[in-house]
Amino acid sequence: MELRSVEELMDLLYACPHQPALRTAALLRRSRPADKELQVAGLVHDIGRLLAPGDEIRRTEHAAAAVRPLLGERVHRLVRRHHPGTDEDALRLRLAIEESRATGFDAGVLEDWRTVLELVAARHSRLGAVD
């Protein structure tokens, strides 16, 4: 499955249990406020559970492949976490995911992230047009 619009992605995010993803994205926003792609990776990293139920081994690959056309190569790479421990941003993402499971703070609502998703998608779209 390839996501082609922010609306499709939002629908998918609403269908997932999204509180841990919201906490992950909020933690990344606190530590790296200017890095929207990293924050978005934290928000969408777990959609593979819905795209490939029961496939625990490849769910991150499914999630990464789904967001690649919409959100770009960097978000794809971060979600996939292909080289554990070798990429500082991938490590930040993994640590935020772990912390979000142990933390119970209120991270807001999913709709608050629509604009950030639109910004990252628009940036990727412009870059894709140039390439």
Side-chain angles (χ1 to χ4, degrees), residues 116-130:
V116 178
L117 289 168
E118 289 170 347
L119 288 170
V120 171
R123 180 175 182 270
H124 170 67
S125 174
R126 284 193 305 272
L127 291 176
V130 172

Side-chain angles (χ1 to χ4, degrees), residues 22-36:
L22 286 171
R23 287 193 296 269
T24 300
L27 288 165
L28 291 165
R29 179 182 276 170
R30 288 178 185 173
S31 66
R32 299 288 300 267
D35 194 343
K36 303 302 182 208

Side-chain angles (χ1 to χ4, degrees), residues 20-90:
L22 286 171
R23 287 193 296 269
T24 300
L27 288 165
L28 291 165
R29 179 182 276 170
R30 288 178 185 173
S31 66
R32 299 288 300 267
D35 194 343
K36 303 302 182 208
E37 290 177 337
L38 181 60
Q39 296 164 25
V40 164
L43 184 65
V44 303
H45 78 277
D46 214 17
I47 63 172
R49 288 179 188 248
L50 199 61
L51 296 173
D55 190 355
E56 295 295 314
I57 295 171
R58 294 187 22 188
R59 74 176 185 211
T60 57
E61 292 176 24
H62 289 284
V67 300
R68 184 185 221 167
L70 181 63
L71 301 175
E73 189 62 35
R74 182 166 179 245
V75 175
H76 166 264
R77 181 181 50 78
L78 287 167
V79 170
R80 189 167 181 219
R81 298 187 304 271
H82 185 59
H83 301 289
T86 61
D87 181 315
E88 186 176 321
D89 289 334

